[in-house]
Amino acid sequence: MLATDLEQVEVWRALRAQLEDASAADRDALLAEKARLTRRSIITMISTAGQGHVGGDLSVTDILTTLYAYTLRIDPANPTLAGRDRFILSKGHCAGALYTTLAHSGYFEPAELNTFMAPLSSLNGHPNRNKVPGVETNTGPLGHGLPVAVGQAMAAKLSKNDARIFVVMGDGEMQEGSNWEALMTASQYKLDNLVAIVDRNRLQQGGRTEDTNALDPLDERLASFGCEVRVIDGHSYAELVEAFAPSTTGKPVAIIANTVKGKGVSFIEDRVEWHHKVPSAEQVLLALQELS
Amino acid sequence: MSIDTTAPAATTPSATNDPTAPTYDNRTAFADELIRLARTDERIVAVCNDSVGSSNLTAFRDEFPSRLINVGIAEQDMVGVGAGLASSGMIPFVCAAAPFLTGRSLEQVKADVAYSQHNVILCGMSPGMAYGELGPTHHSVEDLSWLRALPGLDIIVPADRLQTRQAVRAAVASPRPTFIRVGRHKVPDVTPEGTELVRGRFQQIRAGRDVTFIVTGTLVSRAIEAAAVLAESGIEARVLNASYIAPLDVEAIVAAARETSAIVTAEEANVAGGLGAAVASVVSQLEAGARVPLRILGLTEFAPTGSTDFLLNYFGLSSAHLVTAAREARAHA
């Protein structure tokens, strides 16, 4: 298990305090800056590793940044804190974005990111909770995170604590039937402490979701499965913050976060071939310029 | 939340070869022990797939309605929910008919339970060919093979009421990712009084130096009967109850190979990758003198129509078959 980076935890705490006191505009500017640094780190990490899922990492970055910097009730110095909010990255192939976010929150040293996918690294291509503090369950095969989150939400209810459970699925991942089983259960058990976020970048590995096995009308589908549905711009910090507010209906919350795969790097944005393509040295420089 | 690991022991006679001995459905002991422990341990919850009745959870539900989570007919969800509960400090007993628990949810068992190391207790109800005439879709004879391939997952096959209670107690006293086969096909008590269930250990039910039976679950009483028959002709068979399939009792297998002249394994499971295959992988790697003849009894094909007893006999898993296999194996020594 990687060790906590207390120095980074202090940086995280300072930002959290700043965000709590900030005006909405200042808050969004602070989150944008944090996300910019995270995106730069993702590009560098994937370039070093020579592997990774850059498109999905960049589409989920603003969601992760907002959750970890602002929303989640967590203590990176105590990753197993009782009653903490939980986060599961069900689209585990975007581990790069999660690792970067966790490292920059102090769960472990950012220098560790240089080992991403290297032999015997704790930072496998998909997250392992037994190696990486802050990871709640091992993901990778799609359609696993939401059922586990449902179990965590039930446990919070049974233990009478007010923890909230957040989980991010890729939109292509919603083609997995286990997600819909889990939504039915979440609705049946009135798990209003569950927040299921769909990173709706409209691309999956092999093509556009709507050309493959169409998800729309996703909002109606989620609503018909008993969710309180919120459709937002997944790159708007103001909308993300608002969407992460507790359920108002006693139902589980489902957020369709409309995103752009590869967000922030023009030549990667919305291109199916960038699902797991690795940028060349020249492209890395261009990407970092765009993110400067 | 204290856990009483001392009481109550089932009132079991010692190992028997009496074919008229009473037989029991292990699900009764399972549910009874689970309820007893749940009274003093709020971490215990049951999760099932519309199987409240067939998992014998009706009394549990009546006593702990909020701690019985029925996700409906949704096994992948069920195992994932179990993992989420375990990751939050609960001890979930995830109960479903064994074929669906293992086959339908195998990836969840792999990723969410074994690889994630969430302490889920997977309870495969009515395993083997307990569903007899319902056929191969409802038989769970692949479970041992599939689950043996997953590191970090204990596999327990209780042979009788006492071991079923002991398995439940062990799961609560020291929760870890575990699969328990909870038998429906009635079996007699076979565990001698005072015998503990120890993780990763077989139990020796009968001593012998001529041949060893390594058997599990429903086959244990049949091996005891076979040993009694062999004794009449002066052959002393050692009977080992493989109540833990994983971790495997390598030491007991090696001792059997070195101390007896042949080994016969028998299981209500497919021979491809099950207990017999596990024993073979140990024995075949020993020094030449210890590589004793081995007979592996079990299933080799999808079952035809028939009752559980009919099918056990059909697949060569009667005590008479065990006697023949022991004689043949010894003849090759």
Side-chain angles (χ1 to χ4, degrees), chain B residues 180-229:
Chain B
I180 305 175
R181 259 190 173 198
V182 182
R184 173 199 195 98
H185 185 61
K186 289 184 176 177
V187 287
D189 294 322
V190 293
T191 306
E193 258 182 279
T195 306
E196 290 301 316
L197 181 71
V198 179
R199 180 168 186 256
R201 291 286 172 200
F202 298 163
Q203 291 81 39
Q204 181 168 298
I205 303 273
R206 180 180 177 125
R209 294 239 155 208
D210 296 324
V211 61
T212 301
F213 287 118
I214 303 180
V215 290
T216 193
T218 47
L219 270 298
V220 176
S221 63
R222 289 162 187 247
I224 293 168
E225 287 169 25
V229 171

CSV table of all heavy atoms in Angstrom, one decimal, chain B residues 180-229:
chain,number,residue,atom,x,y,z
B,180,ILE,N,-18.9,-21.0,0.4
B,180,ILE,CA,-19.3,-22.2,1.2
B,180,ILE,C,-20.4,-22.9,0.4
B,180,ILE,O,-21.4,-22.3,0.0
B,180,ILE,CB,-19.9,-21.8,2.6
B,180,ILE,CG1,-19.0,-20.9,3.4
B,180,ILE,CG2,-20.3,-23.1,3.4
B,180,ILE,CD1,-19.5,-20.4,4.7
B,181,ARG,N,-20.2,-24.2,0.2
B,181,ARG,CA,-21.2,-25.0,-0.4
B,181,ARG,C,-22.2,-25.4,0.7
B,181,ARG,O,-21.8,-26.2,1.6
B,181,ARG,CB,-20.6,-26.3,-1.1
B,181,ARG,CG,-20.4,-26.3,-2.6
B,181,ARG,CD,-20.0,-27.7,-3.0
B,181,ARG,NE,-20.0,-27.8,-4.5
B,181,ARG,CZ,-20.0,-29.0,-5.1
B,181,ARG,NH1,-20.1,-30.1,-4.4
B,181,ARG,NH2,-20.0,-29.0,-6.4
B,182,VAL,N,-23.4,-25.0,0.6
B,182,VAL,CA,-24.4,-25.4,1.6
B,182,VAL,C,-25.3,-26.4,1.0
B,182,VAL,O,-26.2,-26.1,0.2
B,182,VAL,CB,-25.2,-24.1,2.1
B,182,VAL,CG1,-26.2,-24.5,3.2
B,182,VAL,CG2,-24.2,-23.0,2.6
B,183,GLY,N,-25.2,-27.7,1.5
B,183,GLY,CA,-25.8,-28.8,0.8
B,183,GLY,C,-27.3,-28.9,1.1
B,183,GLY,O,-27.8,-28.5,2.2
B,184,ARG,N,-28.0,-29.3,0.1
B,184,ARG,CA,-29.5,-29.6,0.3
B,184,ARG,C,-29.8,-31.1,0.3
B,184,ARG,O,-30.6,-31.5,1.0
B,184,ARG,CB,-30.2,-28.9,-1.0
B,184,ARG,CG,-31.6,-29.2,-1.1
B,184,ARG,CD,-32.1,-29.0,-2.6
B,184,ARG,NE,-33.5,-28.9,-2.7
B,184,ARG,CZ,-34.2,-27.7,-2.8
B,184,ARG,NH1,-33.6,-26.6,-2.7
B,184,ARG,NH2,-35.5,-27.7,-2.9
B,185,HIS,N,-29.0,-31.8,-0.5
B,185,HIS,CA,-29.2,-33.3,-0.5
B,185,HIS,C,-28.8,-33.8,0.9
B,185,HIS,O,-27.7,-33.5,1.4
B,185,HIS,CB,-28.2,-33.9,-1.6
B,185,HIS,CG,-28.5,-35.3,-1.7
B,185,HIS,ND1,-29.7,-35.9,-2.2
B,185,HIS,CD2,-27.6,-36.4,-1.5
B,185,HIS,CE1,-29.6,-37.2,-2.2
B,185,HIS,NE2,-28.4,-37.5,-1.8
B,186,LYS,N,-29.7,-34.5,1.5
B,186,LYS,CA,-29.6,-34.9,2.9
B,186,LYS,C,-28.4,-35.9,3.1
B,186,LYS,O,-28.2,-36.8,2.3
B,186,LYS,CB,-30.9,-35.5,3.4
B,186,LYS,CG,-32.0,-34.5,3.5
B,186,LYS,CD,-33.2,-35.1,4.1
B,186,LYS,CE,-34.3,-34.1,4.3
B,186,LYS,NZ,-35.5,-34.6,4.8
B,187,VAL,N,-27.7,-35.6,4.1
B,187,VAL,CA,-26.5,-36.4,4.4
B,187,VAL,C,-26.5,-36.7,5.9
B,187,VAL,O,-27.0,-35.9,6.7
B,187,VAL,CB,-25.2,-35.6,4.1
B,187,VAL,CG1,-24.9,-35.6,2.6
B,187,VAL,CG2,-25.2,-34.2,4.7
B,188,PRO,N,-25.9,-37.9,6.3
B,188,PRO,CA,-25.8,-38.2,7.7
B,188,PRO,C,-24.7,-37.4,8.4
B,188,PRO,O,-23.8,-36.8,7.7
B,188,PRO,CB,-25.4,-39.7,7.7
B,188,PRO,CG,-24.7,-39.9,6.4
B,188,PRO,CD,-25.3,-38.9,5.4
B,189,ASP,N,-24.7,-37.4,9.7
B,189,ASP,CA,-23.5,-36.8,10.4
B,189,ASP,C,-22.3,-37.6,10.2
B,189,ASP,O,-22.4,-38.8,10.4
B,189,ASP,CB,-23.9,-36.6,11.9
B,189,ASP,CG,-25.0,-35.6,12.1
B,189,ASP,OD1,-25.1,-34.6,11.4
B,189,ASP,OD2,-25.9,-35.9,13.0
B,190,VAL,N,-21.2,-37.0,9.9
B,190,VAL,CA,-20.0,-37.8,9.7
B,190,VAL,C,-18.8,-37.3,10.5
B,190,VAL,O,-17.8,-38.0,10.6
B,190,VAL,CB,-19.6,-37.8,8.2
B,190,VAL,CG1,-20.6,-38.5,7.3
B,190,VAL,CG2,-19.4,-36.4,7.7
B,191,THR,N,-18.9,-36.1,11.0
B,191,THR,CA,-17.8,-35.6,11.7
B,191,THR,C,-17.7,-36.0,13.2
B,191,THR,O,-18.7,-35.8,13.9
B,191,THR,CB,-17.8,-34.0,11.7
B,191,THR,OG1,-18.0,-33.6,10.4
B,191,THR,CG2,-16.6,-33.4,12.3
B,192,PRO,N,-16.7,-36.7,13.6
B,192,PRO,CA,-16.6,-37.1,15.0
B,192,PRO,C,-16.7,-35.9,15.9
B,192,PRO,O,-16.2,-34.9,15.6
B,192,PRO,CB,-15.2,-37.8,15.1
B,192,PRO,CG,-14.8,-38.1,13.7
B,192,PRO,CD,-15.5,-37.1,12.8
B,193,GLU,N,-17.3,-36.2,17.0
B,193,GLU,CA,-17.5,-35.1,18.0
B,193,GLU,C,-16.1,-34.5,18.4
B,193,GLU,O,-15.2,-35.3,18.6
B,193,GLU,CB,-18.2,-35.7,19.3
B,193,GLU,CG,-19.7,-35.3,19.3
B,193,GLU,CD,-20.4,-35.8,20.6
B,193,GLU,OE1,-20.8,-37.0,20.6
B,193,GLU,OE2,-20.5,-35.0,21.5
B,194,GLY,N,-16.1,-33.2,18.6
B,194,GLY,CA,-14.9,-32.6,19.1
B,194,GLY,C,-13.9,-32.3,17.9
B,194,GLY,O,-12.9,-31.7,18.2
B,195,THR,N,-14.3,-32.6,16.7
B,195,THR,CA,-13.4,-32.3,15.6
B,195,THR,C,-13.6,-30.8,15.1
B,195,THR,O,-14.8,-30.5,14.8
B,195,THR,CB,-13.7,-33.2,14.4
B,195,THR,OG1,-13.6,-34.6,14.8
B,195,THR,CG2,-12.7,-33.0,13.2
B,196,GLU,N,-12.6,-30.1,15.1
B,196,GLU,CA,-12.7,-28.7,14.7
B,196,GLU,C,-12.6,-28.5,13.2
B,196,GLU,O,-11.9,-29.4,12.6
B,196,GLU,CB,-11.6,-27.8,15.4
B,196,GLU,CG,-11.8,-27.7,16.9
B,196,GLU,CD,-13.1,-27.0,17.3
B,196,GLU,OE1,-13.5,-26.0,16.6
B,196,GLU,OE2,-13.8,-27.5,18.2
B,197,LEU,N,-13.2,-27.5,12.7
B,197,LEU,CA,-12.9,-27.1,11.3
B,197,LEU,C,-11.8,-26.1,11.3
B,197,LEU,O,-11.9,-25.0,11.8
B,197,LEU,CB,-14.2,-26.5,10.7
B,197,LEU,CG,-14.1,-26.1,9.2
B,197,LEU,CD1,-14.1,-27.3,8.3
B,197,LEU,CD2,-15.3,-25.1,8.9
B,198,VAL,N,-10.6,-26.5,10.7
B,198,VAL,CA,-9.4,-25.7,10.7
B,198,VAL,C,-9.2,-25.3,9.3
B,198,VAL,O,-9.2,-26.1,8.4
B,198,VAL,CB,-8.2,-26.5,11.3
B,198,VAL,CG1,-7.0,-25.6,11.3
B,198,VAL,CG2,-8.5,-26.9,12.7
B,199,ARG,N,-8.9,-24.0,9.1
B,199,ARG,CA,-8.7,-23.4,7.8
B,199,ARG,C,-7.6,-24.1,7.1
B,199,ARG,O,-6.5,-24.3,7.6
B,199,ARG,CB,-8.4,-21.9,7.9
B,199,ARG,CG,-8.2,-21.3,6.5
B,199,ARG,CD,-8.2,-19.8,6.6
B,199,ARG,NE,-8.1,-19.2,5.3
B,199,ARG,CZ,-7.0,-18.7,4.8
B,199,ARG,NH1,-5.9,-18.6,5.5
B,199,ARG,NH2,-7.0,-18.2,3.6
B,200,GLY,N,-7.9,-24.6,5.9
B,200,GLY,CA,-6.8,-25.2,5.0
B,200,GLY,C,-6.5,-26.7,5.5
B,200,GLY,O,-5.5,-27.2,5.0
B,201,ARG,N,-7.3,-27.3,6.3
B,201,ARG,CA,-7.0,-28.6,6.8
B,201,ARG,C,-8.1,-29.6,6.4
B,201,ARG,O,-9.3,-29.3,6.6
B,201,ARG,CB,-6.8,-28.7,8.3
B,201,ARG,CG,-5.6,-27.9,8.8
B,201,ARG,CD,-4.4,-28.8,8.5
B,201,ARG,NE,-3.1,-28.0,8.8
B,201,ARG,CZ,-2.0,-28.3,8.3
B,201,ARG,NH1,-1.8,-29.4,7.5
B,201,ARG,NH2,-0.9,-27.6,8.6
B,202,PHE,N,-7.7,-30.8,6.0
B,202,PHE,CA,-8.7,-31.9,5.9
B,202,PHE,C,-8.9,-32.4,7.3
B,202,PHE,O,-8.1,-32.2,8.2
B,202,PHE,CB,-8.2,-33.0,5.0
B,202,PHE,CG,-7.9,-32.7,3.6
B,202,PHE,CD1,-7.1,-33.5,2.8
B,202,PHE,CD2,-8.4,-31.5,3.0
B,202,PHE,CE1,-6.8,-33.2,1.5
B,202,PHE,CE2,-8.1,-31.2,1.7
B,202,PHE,CZ,-7.3,-32.0,0.9
B,203,GLN,N,-10.0,-33.2,7.5
B,203,GLN,CA,-10.2,-34.0,8.7
B,203,GLN,C,-10.0,-35.4,8.4
B,203,GLN,O,-10.6,-35.9,7.5
B,203,GLN,CB,-11.6,-33.7,9.4
B,203,GLN,CG,-11.8,-32.4,9.9
B,203,GLN,CD,-12.2,-31.4,8.8
B,203,GLN,OE1,-12.9,-31.8,7.9
B,203,GLN,NE2,-11.7,-30.2,8.8
B,204,GLN,N,-9.2,-36.1,9.3
B,204,GLN,CA,-9.1,-37.6,9.1
B,204,GLN,C,-10.3,-38.2,9.9
B,204,GLN,O,-10.4,-38.0,11.1
B,204,GLN,CB,-7.8,-38.1,9.6
B,204,GLN,CG,-7.7,-39.6,9.5
B,204,GLN,CD,-6.3,-40.1,9.7
B,204,GLN,OE1,-5.3,-39.7,9.0
B,204,GLN,NE2,-6.1,-40.9,10.7
B,205,ILE,N,-11.2,-38.9,9.1
B,205,ILE,CA,-12.4,-39.5,9.7
B,205,ILE,C,-12.0,-40.9,10.1
B,205,ILE,O,-12.6,-41.5,11.0
B,205,ILE,CB,-13.5,-39.5,8.7
B,205,ILE,CG1,-13.8,-38.1,8.2
B,205,ILE,CG2,-14.8,-40.2,9.2
B,205,ILE,CD1,-14.8,-37.3,9.0
B,206,ARG,N,-11.1,-41.5,9.4
B,206,ARG,CA,-10.7,-42.9,9.7
B,206,ARG,C,-9.3,-43.1,9.4
B,206,ARG,O,-8.8,-42.6,8.4
B,206,ARG,CB,-11.6,-43.8,8.8
B,206,ARG,CG,-11.3,-45.3,9.1
B,206,ARG,CD,-12.2,-46.2,8.2
B,206,ARG,NE,-11.9,-47.6,8.4
B,206,ARG,CZ,-12.7,-48.5,8.7
B,206,ARG,NH1,-14.0,-48.2,8.9
B,206,ARG,NH2,-12.3,-49.8,8.9
B,207,ALA,N,-8.6,-43.8,10.2
B,207,ALA,CA,-7.1,-44.0,10.0
B,207,ALA,C,-7.0,-45.3,9.1
B,207,ALA,O,-7.8,-46.2,9.1
B,207,ALA,CB,-6.4,-44.2,11.3
B,208,GLY,N,-5.9,-45.3,8.3
B,208,GLY,CA,-5.6,-46.4,7.5
B,208,GLY,C,-4.3,-46.3,6.8
B,208,GLY,O,-3.9,-45.1,6.5
B,209,ARG,N,-3.7,-47.4,6.4
B,209,ARG,CA,-2.3,-47.3,5.8
B,209,ARG,C,-2.3,-48.0,4.5
B,209,ARG,O,-1.2,-48.0,3.8
B,209,ARG,CB,-1.3,-48.0,6.8
B,209,ARG,CG,-1.1,-47.3,8.1
B,209,ARG,CD,0.3,-46.9,8.2
B,209,ARG,NE,0.5,-45.8,9.1
B,209,ARG,CZ,1.4,-44.9,9.1
B,209,ARG,NH1,2.4,-45.0,8.1
B,209,ARG,NH2,1.5,-43.9,9.9
B,210,ASP,N,-3.4,-48.5,4.0
B,210,ASP,CA,-3.4,-49.2,2.7
B,210,ASP,C,-3.8,-48.4,1.5
B,210,ASP,O,-3.2,-48.5,0.5
B,210,ASP,CB,-4.3,-50.5,2.8
B,210,ASP,CG,-3.8,-51.4,3.9
B,210,ASP,OD1,-2.6,-51.5,4.0
B,210,ASP,OD2,-4.6,-52.0,4.6
B,211,VAL,N,-4.8,-47.6,1.7
B,211,VAL,CA,-5.3,-46.7,0.6
B,211,VAL,C,-6.0,-45.5,1.3
B,211,VAL,O,-6.4,-45.6,2.4
B,211,VAL,CB,-6.3,-47.5,-0.2
B,211,VAL,CG1,-7.6,-47.9,0.6
B,211,VAL,CG2,-6.8,-46.7,-1.5
B,212,THR,N,-6.0,-44.4,0.5
B,212,THR,CA,-6.6,-43.2,1.1
B,212,THR,C,-7.8,-42.7,0.2
B,212,THR,O,-7.6,-42.6,-1.0
B,212,THR,CB,-5.6,-42.0,1.2
B,212,THR,OG1,-4.5,-42.4,2.0
B,212,THR,CG2,-6.2,-40.8,1.8
B,213,PHE,N,-8.9,-42.5,0.9
B,213,PHE,CA,-10.0,-41.8,0.2
B,213,PHE,C,-9.9,-40.3,0.6
B,213,PHE,O,-9.9,-39.9,1.7
B,213,PHE,CB,-11.4,-42.3,0.7
B,213,PHE,CG,-11.7,-43.6,0.2
B,213,PHE,CD1,-11.9,-44.7,1.1
B,213,PHE,CD2,-11.9,-43.9,-1.2
B,213,PHE,CE1,-12.2,-46.0,0.6
B,213,PHE,CE2,-12.2,-45.1,-1.6
B,213,PHE,CZ,-12.4,-46.2,-0.8
B,214,ILE,N,-9.8,-39.4,-0.5
B,214,ILE,CA,-9.9,-38.0,-0.2
B,214,ILE,C,-11.2,-37.5,-0.9
B,214,ILE,O,-11.4,-37.6,-2.1
B,214,ILE,CB,-8.7,-37.2,-0.8
B,214,ILE,CG1,-7.4,-37.7,-0.2
B,214,ILE,CG2,-8.8,-35.7,-0.5
B,214,ILE,CD1,-6.1,-37.1,-0.7
B,215,VAL,N,-12.2,-37.2,0.0
B,215,VAL,CA,-13.5,-37.0,-0.5
B,215,VAL,C,-14.1,-35.7,0.1
B,215,VAL,O,-13.6,-35.2,1.1
B,215,VAL,CB,-14.4,-38.2,-0.1
B,215,VAL,CG1,-14.0,-39.4,-1.0
B,215,VAL,CG2,-14.3,-38.5,1.4
B,216,THR,N,-15.2,-35.3,-0.5
B,216,THR,CA,-15.8,-34.0,0.0
B,216,THR,C,-17.3,-34.0,-0.1
B,216,THR,O,-17.9,-34.7,-0.9
B,216,THR,CB,-15.2,-32.8,-0.8
B,216,THR,OG1,-15.4,-31.6,-0.1
B,216,THR,CG2,-15.7,-32.8,-2.2
B,217,GLY,N,-17.9,-33.3,0.8
B,217,GLY,CA,-19.4,-33.1,0.8
B,217,GLY,C,-20.1,-34.4,0.9
B,217,GLY,O,-19.9,-35.2,1.8
B,218,THR,N,-21.0,-34.6,0.0
B,218,THR,CA,-21.9,-35.8,0.0
B,218,THR,C,-21.1,-37.1,-0.1
B,218,THR,O,-21.7,-38.2,0.1
B,218,THR,CB,-22.9,-35.7,-1.2
B,218,THR,OG1,-22.1,-35.4,-2.4
B,218,THR,CG2,-24.0,-34.7,-1.0
B,219,LEU,N,-19.9,-37.0,-0.5
B,219,LEU,CA,-19.1,-38.3,-0.8
B,219,LEU,C,-18.5,-38.8,0.5
B,219,LEU,O,-18.0,-39.9,0.5
B,219,LEU,CB,-18.1,-38.1,-1.8
B,219,LEU,CG,-18.5,-38.3,-3.3
B,219,LEU,CD1,-18.9,-39.8,-3.5
B,219,LEU,CD2,-19.7,-37.4,-3.7
B,220,VAL,N,-18.5,-38.0,1.6
B,220,VAL,CA,-17.8,-38.4,2.8
B,220,VAL,C,-18.4,-39.7,3.4
B,220,VAL,O,-17.8,-40.6,3.7
B,220,VAL,CB,-17.7,-37.3,3.8
B,220,VAL,CG1,-17.0,-37.7,5.1
B,220,VAL,CG2,-16.9,-36.1,3.2
B,221,SER,N,-19.8,-39.6,3.5
B,221,SER,CA,-20.4,-40.8,4.2
B,221,SER,C,-20.2,-42.0,3.3
B,221,SER,O,-20.1,-43.2,3.8
B,221,SER,CB,-21.9,-40.5,4.4
B,221,SER,OG,-22.6,-40.3,3.2
B,222,ARG,N,-20.2,-41.8,2.0
B,222,ARG,CA,-20.0,-43.0,1.0
B,222,ARG,C,-18.6,-43.6,1.2
B,222,ARG,O,-18.4,-44.8,1.1
B,222,ARG,CB,-20.3,-42.5,-0.4
B,222,ARG,CG,-21.8,-42.2,-0.6
B,222,ARG,CD,-22.1,-41.4,-1.8
B,222,ARG,NE,-23.5,-41.1,-1.8
B,222,ARG,CZ,-24.4,-41.5,-2.7
B,222,ARG,NH1,-24.0,-42.3,-3.7
B,222,ARG,NH2,-25.7,-41.2,-2.6
B,223,ALA,N,-17.6,-42.7,1.4
B,223,ALA,CA,-16.3,-43.2,1.6
B,223,ALA,C,-16.2,-44.0,2.9
B,223,ALA,O,-15.4,-45.0,3.0
B,223,ALA,CB,-15.3,-42.0,1.6
B,224,ILE,N,-16.9,-43.5,3.9
B,224,ILE,CA,-16.9,-44.2,5.2
B,224,ILE,C,-17.4,-45.6,5.0
B,224,ILE,O,-16.9,-46.6,5.6
B,224,ILE,CB,-17.6,-43.4,6.3
B,224,ILE,CG1,-16.9,-42.1,6.6
B,224,ILE,CG2,-17.8,-44.2,7.6
B,224,ILE,CD1,-17.7,-41.1,7.4
B,225,GLU,N,-18.5,-45.7,4.3
B,225,GLU,CA,-19.1,-47.0,4.0
B,225,GLU,C,-18.2,-47.9,3.2
B,225,GLU,O,-18.0,-49.1,3.5
B,225,GLU,CB,-20.4,-46.8,3.2
B,225,GLU,CG,-21.6,-46.2,4.0
B,225,GLU,CD,-22.7,-45.8,3.0
B,225,GLU,OE1,-22.9,-46.4,1.9
B,225,GLU,OE2,-23.5,-44.9,3.4
B,226,ALA,N,-17.5,-47.3,2.2
B,226,ALA,CA,-16.6,-48.1,1.4
B,226,ALA,C,-15.4,-48.6,2.3
B,226,ALA,O,-15.0,-49.7,2.1
B,226,ALA,CB,-16.0,-47.2,0.3
B,227,ALA,N,-14.9,-47.7,3.2
B,227,ALA,CA,-13.8,-48.1,4.1
B,227,ALA,C,-14.2,-49.3,4.9
B,227,ALA,O,-13.4,-50.3,5.2
B,227,ALA,CB,-13.4,-47.0,4.9
B,228,ALA,N,-15.5,-49.3,5.4
B,228,ALA,CA,-15.9,-50.5,6.2
B,228,ALA,C,-16.0,-51.7,5.4
B,228,ALA,O,-15.6,-52.8,5.9
B,228,ALA,CB,-17.3,-50.1,6.8
B,229,VAL,N,-16.4,-51.6,4.1
B,229,VAL,CA,-16.4,-52.8,3.3
B,229,VAL,C,-15.0,-53.3,3.0
B,229,VAL,O,-14.7,-54.5,3.1
B,229,VAL,CB,-17.1,-52.5,1.9
B,229,VAL,CG1,-17.0,-53.6,0.9
B,229,VAL,CG2,-18.6,-52.1,2.2
